[in-house]
Amino acid sequence: MKQFNNKVVVVTGAASGMGREYALEFARLGALVAMTDVNEKVLAETHSMVQKITDKYTCCEVMNIASQEDVLAFAEKVKNKLGNAHVIINNAGIGGGGAPVWAQDMDQFQLTMNVNFFSVVSMTKAFLPQLLSNQEGAVVNVSSVFGLIGTPGTSDYCASKFAVRGFSESLMVELADTPISVHLVHPGGIKTNIAKDSKNGAEFEEKYLKTSPLTAVRIVIDGIKTGKQRMVFGHQSSLLRFLTLLPLKLRNWTLNREMSDLRDPEHYELLSAMGEK
């Protein structure tokens, strides 16, 4: 897809960070933007910013992205208000529980998978008929550099982003003979608020989250235009990509050493106590 003027672009997680920048940038490019997020107040701010850029129709919906019923209703609303979607940006996500496996309960694993992975499946299935009806379209699924490599204290998050990767790579093959392109995005170190709720979120942000969301969004849009199927970018993404080439034992040692200062001592006291039982 080479241009987006008068095309319908759907963005999830549009209230802030990369999601907001997707909505604003596509509005600048002349698209009809449909945006959704669970945060009503901040989504309204994004919608207001979009309306200052364009006088074209928009669609704004507060929605629980993890609800399949809500996703199907949103897809129908977009179609009725704006027409069939041309591009879907599956951007919504949460940072996960921020704890090692033994310190994290199953409810957190389920929540992270529902928001980060199953919502991508639901959105894709809901909107794919619209893209096919247009005989033109792009599905953009946002994984993470943590969808390339497992890191400590992020098992639920990594699992969800690895799942997005596997789903997207399969979808690429399945849609290879159609006019629909599939793009898998692995951002690294983007300066968003995704880590704000974790115990060491501020420390993690200061150390790793450096790349501006707008820079990331423009890389993705260029990738859609050129048909690039995998995009890996952002602060320290090259280093993490290099680590995937190392023997697993050496990679694990390197990651353990690099991220040891972000450990919560209480989690490892719990691990010791478990071993004493």
Side-chain angles (χ1 to χ4, degrees):
M1 185 175 293
K2 302 300 183 183
Q3 61 86 25
F4 304 98
N5 189 46
N6 292 323
K7 302 297 173 67
V8 178
V9 177
V10 181
V11 182
T12 69
S16 62
M18 287 180 64
R20 173 173 285 180
E21 295 299 341
Y22 278 120
L24 297 175
E25 191 68 3
F26 277 113
R28 295 184 191 105
L29 295 171
L32 286 71
V33 182
M35 61 206 90
T36 184
D37 200 284
V38 72
N39 190 321
E40 182 175 6
K41 181 181 177 181
V42 188
L43 179 62
E45 293 173 3
T46 300
H47 191 206
S48 178
M49 294 166 73
V50 168
Q51 290 181 312
K52 290 177 181 177
I53 294 172
T54 180
D55 58 0
K56 295 181 178 180
Y57 288 119
T58 59
C59 179
C60 184
E61 184 80 1
V62 178
M63 182 179 74
N64 174 13
I65 196 70
S67 166
Q68 293 186 38
E69 289 184 0
D70 287 359
V71 168
L72 289 170
F74 177 58
E76 192 64 23
K77 182 174 182 177
V78 171
K79 181 177 180 178
N80 292 336
K81 187 171 183 180
L82 304 181
N84 286 331
H86 296 84
V87 180
I88 55 172
I89 309 289
N90 285 317
N91 166 77
I94 57 175
V101 172
W102 61 87
Q104 192 135 257
D105 61 39
M106 288 303 299
D107 287 345
Q108 181 63 58
F109 277 98
Q110 189 66 57
L111 174 62
T112 303
M113 291 300 294
N114 284 343
V115 175
N116 289 2
F117 172 61
F118 285 113
S119 71
V120 173
V121 178
S122 296
M123 284 287 296
T124 301
K125 287 177 69 65
F127 280 95
L128 186 57
Q130 296 185 25
L131 273 61
L132 291 167
S133 180
N134 288 331
Q135 284 296 293
E136 176 185 42
V139 178
V140 179
N141 292 337
V142 180
S143 176
S144 167
V145 288
F146 289 178
L148 297 172
I149 192 168
T151 52
T154 60
S155 57
D156 58 330
Y157 183 79
C158 288
S160 68
K161 294 303 185 177
F162 268 82
V164 170
R165 174 185 170 187
F167 172 76
S168 302
E169 290 181 359
S170 292
L171 189 64
M172 289 174 187
V173 181
E174 292 168 351
L175 295 177
D177 296 327
T178 76
I180 310 305
S181 61
V182 180
H183 308 270
L184 178 56
V185 181
H186 294 279
I190 311 301
K191 193 169 180 60
T192 70
N193 61 6
I194 195 167
K196 67 181 178 63
D197 293 329
S198 63
K199 189 169 183 179
N200 295 315
E203 190 177 353
F204 184 89
E205 178 179 345
E206 182 179 355
K207 186 172 183 178
Y208 294 113
L209 306 187
K210 305 288 187 181
T211 302
S212 80
L214 181 57
T215 297
V217 163
R218 287 177 172 168
I219 290 171
V220 173
I221 291 175
D222 284 344
I224 298 172
K225 290 179 178 179
T226 59
K228 190 171 185 179
Q229 291 189 303
R230 187 190 307 278
M231 294 169 245
V232 183
F233 55 82
H235 182 64
Q236 292 198 334
S237 60
S238 296
L239 172 60
L240 287 175
R241 203 169 191 180
F242 168 73
L243 288 176
T244 65
L245 305 176
L246 296 180
L248 192 55
K249 191 171 184 178
L250 177 58
R251 181 204 307 177
N252 293 342
W253 179 86
T254 302
L255 287 168
N256 183 51
R257 184 173 180 180
E258 165 66 19
M259 303 185 75
S260 61
D261 58 331
L262 296 176
R263 285 179 178 173
D264 185 338
E266 291 183 4
H267 291 156
Y268 286 83
E269 290 171 6
L270 175 61
L271 182 64
S272 297
M274 289 170 62
E276 293 170 0
K277 291 182 179 179

